[in-house]
Amino acid sequence: MLTTHPFDDDHLREECGVFGVSGSDGSAAALVALGLHALQHRGQEAAGITSWDGRQFHTHRAMGHVAGNFDRDDVIRALPGQAACGHVRYSTTGDTTLRNVQPLYAELASGGFAVAHNGNLSNAQRLRRELVRRGAIFQSTSDTEVIIHLVATSSYRTLLDRFIDALKQVEGAYSLVVMTPEGMIACRDPLGIRPLVMGRLDDAVIIASETVALDVVGAEFERSIEPGELVIIRGGEVKSIRPFAPQAARPCIFEWVYFSRPDSISGDHSVYDVRKAIGAQLAIESPVEADLVIPVPDSGVPAAIGYAQQSGIPFELGIIRSHYVGRTFIQPGDKVRHLGVKLKHNANRALIKGKRVILIDDSIVRGTTSLKIVQMMHEAGAAEVHMRIASPPTRHSCFYGVDTPERAKLLAAKLDVGGMTDFIHANSLAFVSIDGLYKALGESGRPDFRPGHCDACFTGDYPTTLTDQDESAEVDQFALLAERVA
């Protein structure tokens, strides 16, 4: 049968990626398909593209990767127009079914309305219940559809005002690309939790989750969409408005640690350079005598380079990754399940035998992957196995578009570092401190410093209210009390 590969099952899941083109001379959909290829790491369950040809909208959505679904001429020809938007998805809310694949599309009184969303609305369930009571009929289980219904039922006159009215009712994280007959809208939530950038390709305006997608289509990076900013695009013309009260930005810090591609640029910093700086900071904070620094591929590579350069310990590829095994693999039976691990990662035995090794990874979630990799090193003959993690312990769930396991399943929420070390059978384990993480970003780590990012997965300091989560907790507490009374 098919199952999630053991190494993929123990990572924080990528959220989603969005890409939009307005004012293209040729087929906007072809550019969107290329952009989505570059953003495939942000969502690998499904992909979709919606185009506008000046008269009507055209949509193609499919399960699976961009390749195989949008690299066919007949698919792109069926998506004509000078404007298009697309989405790659990993489900953080809603089922993994075609009805939840974005862009979501609806016919409103003002005409067609397509939306691609990266993020998660933390009050979507409450809003959904209210909308259903008022007669709304939902076609998906995605939180994104709430936005469409709020726009449709708004009492404001213009589509832009109705859209702003809808956004003022939601909480949480959103970077959106919206297509209407009047033009394209790109926006970020007031805290800027999820990334969004804008570029130019000749006369066309390009919107993307990351700068790497601009690179792939040959567009020039212009700027980031600011937190709380709405950019209205008609053809190649751009107008910016800021309808929300200004707030201190809190972009997701885990974009630096893992989510963004290392060849992307965020603000004035290279993601690759920041990850190397995190590794260097980790070496300063948690040195250990060893013979080799080994990355857990591929996400641990830049931090491992930084650790090796700072410590003077040689960097080596002690784990070889197969790039031909996807998120799912064929599992013949439980007796050979452990062999499936080696389909994706295998120890470089000749290098490791008799050596004291330092493994560098981006995070520990459930701990099962770390356990398997440490075991792999021991079986390959390593004299000592030390693990260093390029992020602080992940002790809290994310409610802003990252599919984090419930808190009870997070290893760092259950055990201290000593207990985690024993669990993964390492000789030692250390994480970069939250202070060190901010230092690597070039920001202060002083106790009186208000963090410039959302670091809730490490600290529990959530920057917004969590309506759905709070209500769910209240229901659980009530059920527990009722059970005790009974």
Side-chain angles (χ1 to χ4, degrees):
M1 64 178 175
L2 291 176
T3 185
T4 302
H5 193 280
F7 277 102
D8 291 320
D9 192 41
D10 191 30
H11 256 297
L12 296 181
R13 302 290 194 176
E14 301 91 334
E15 329 95 62
C16 298
V18 298
F19 193 92
V21 175
S22 178
S24 169
D25 289 337
S27 171
L31 288 175
V32 172
L34 286 173
L36 294 181
H37 271 288
L39 298 174
Q40 187 74 84
H41 61 287
R42 299 187 71 89
Q44 300 179 36
E45 285 188 352
I49 297 176
T50 296
S51 70
W52 165 249
D53 65 6
R55 299 183 305 277
Q56 61 181 348
F57 288 89
H58 309 268
T59 296
H60 183 80
R61 302 181 298 164
M63 305 302 297
H65 288 187
V66 179
N69 285 312
F70 291 97
D71 53 2
R72 296 175 10 226
D73 288 342
D74 59 324
V75 172
I76 297 301
R77 283 198 302 269
L79 297 167
Q82 295 183 331
C85 70
H87 187 268
V88 287
R89 181 176 193 263
Y90 180 83
S91 59
T92 57
T93 64
D95 303 325
T96 306
T97 58
L98 189 60
R99 64 177 177 159
N100 287 329
V101 179
Q102 297 187 27
L104 297 183
Y105 177 79
E107 287 285 347
L108 307 183
S110 55
F113 187 94
V115 57
H117 173 202
N118 172 210
N120 192 57
L121 306 182
S122 55
N123 65 337
Q125 292 303 315
R126 172 184 277 188
L127 290 172
R128 187 185 185 99
R129 288 193 298 270
E130 293 173 354
L131 286 161
V132 168
R133 279 197 294 266
R134 287 156 49 188
I137 301 173
F138 281 76
Q139 301 300 312
S140 77
T141 58
S142 169
D143 62 328
T144 309
E145 192 179 355
V146 167
I147 295 173
I148 295 175
H149 287 279
L150 290 174
V151 173
T153 57
S154 173
S155 59
Y156 283 85
R157 187 176 62 84
T158 70
L159 177 60
L160 180 60
D161 287 338
R162 292 159 75 97
F163 181 56
I164 293 170
D165 179 44
L167 295 184
K168 287 184 176 180
Q169 297 178 62
V170 303
E171 64 184 38
Y174 55 84
S175 284
L176 303 171
V177 178
V178 173
M179 289 180 59
T180 77
E182 299 177 19
M184 182 177 288
I185 304 171
C187 65
R188 285 175 81 187
D189 66 77
L191 295 175
I193 297 174
R194 295 282 152 239
L196 199 63
V197 299
M198 179 169 63
R200 291 271 184 176
L201 179 62
D202 300 323
D203 294 328
V205 177
I206 312 291
I207 301 295
S209 290
E210 294 182 39
T211 61
V212 65
L214 302 179
D215 297 339
V216 166
V217 301
E220 183 175 349
F221 170 71
E222 194 163 281
R223 66 180 179 87
S224 293
I225 306 297
E226 296 296 323
E229 180 184 17
L230 269 71
V231 174
I232 299 102
I233 308 162
R234 293 183 173 90
E237 299 297 319
V238 174
K239 176 185 176 183
S240 172
I241 61 173
R242 289 175 169 80
F244 307 106
Q247 300 183 49
R250 297 286 297 276
C252 173
I253 202 167
F254 218 85
E255 290 284 346
W256 293 106
V257 174
Y258 176 66
F259 291 131
S260 293
R261 259 180 53 163
D263 46 343
S264 281
I265 304 293
S266 182
D268 297 326
H269 300 293
S270 155
V271 173
Y272 177 79
D273 287 344
V274 169
R275 288 180 186 167
K276 282 179 61 180
I278 296 171
Q281 183 64 33
L282 188 55
I284 293 169
E285 293 182 356
S286 302
V288 62
E289 290 188 6
D291 303 305
L292 302 174
V293 175
I294 295 174
V296 177
D298 288 322
S299 56
V301 171
I305 293 172
Y307 192 104
Q309 290 176 348
Q310 178 65 39
S311 66
I313 301 171
F315 169 95
E316 294 286 356
L317 296 179
I319 301 172
I320 306 303
R321 178 188 173 187
S322 170
H323 290 267
Y324 304 100
V325 180
R327 286 191 173 275
T328 58
F329 73 112
I330 298 173
Q331 180 183 312
D334 290 340
K335 290 184 180 179
V336 295
R337 175 173 172 78
H338 68 283
L339 297 179
V341 171
K342 296 182 180 180
L343 288 174
K344 193 157 192 176
H345 294 79
N346 194 38
N348 190 347
R349 288 177 173 270
L351 180 72
I352 292 166
K353 187 174 181 179
K355 299 295 196 312
R356 299 167 299 173
V357 303
I358 304 171
L359 295 173
I360 308 291
D361 205 355
D362 60 88
S363 61
I364 290 181
V365 184
R366 294 178 177 88
T368 53
T369 291
S370 300
L371 173 62
K372 291 183 178 76
I373 291 178
V374 170
Q375 180 181 2
M376 183 187 297
M377 294 294 100
H378 284 308
E379 290 175 351
E384 297 176 8
V385 182
H386 304 275
M387 196 148 204
R388 297 294 180 265
I389 306 299
S391 63
T394 303
R395 294 192 172 100
H396 304 272
S397 297
C398 176
F399 302 102
Y400 301 122
V402 181
D403 187 30
T404 317
E406 59 188 58
R407 193 173 183 221
K409 295 181 180 179
L410 295 171
L411 191 66
K414 299 184 291 185
L415 301 173
D416 61 13
V417 174
M420 296 173 75
T421 307
D422 292 340
F423 178 86
I424 67 173
H425 301 313
N427 292 89
S428 73
L429 169 67
F431 298 78
V432 73
S433 66
I434 189 70
D435 180 83
L437 182 57
Y438 276 102
K439 284 181 180 177
L441 286 165
E443 300 181 17
S444 172
R446 301 189 315 269
D448 61 341
F449 173 71
R450 178 176 174 80
H453 290 78
C454 175
D455 54 20
C457 54
F458 308 132
T459 65
D461 178 20
Y462 295 99
T464 75
T465 51
L466 302 172
T467 299
D468 291 342
Q469 178 66 18
D470 292 342
E471 289 182 351
S472 176
E474 288 177 7
V475 170
D476 290 344
Q477 288 291 335
F478 180 80
L480 181 61
L481 179 62
E483 183 178 327
R484 287 174 177 172
V485 171

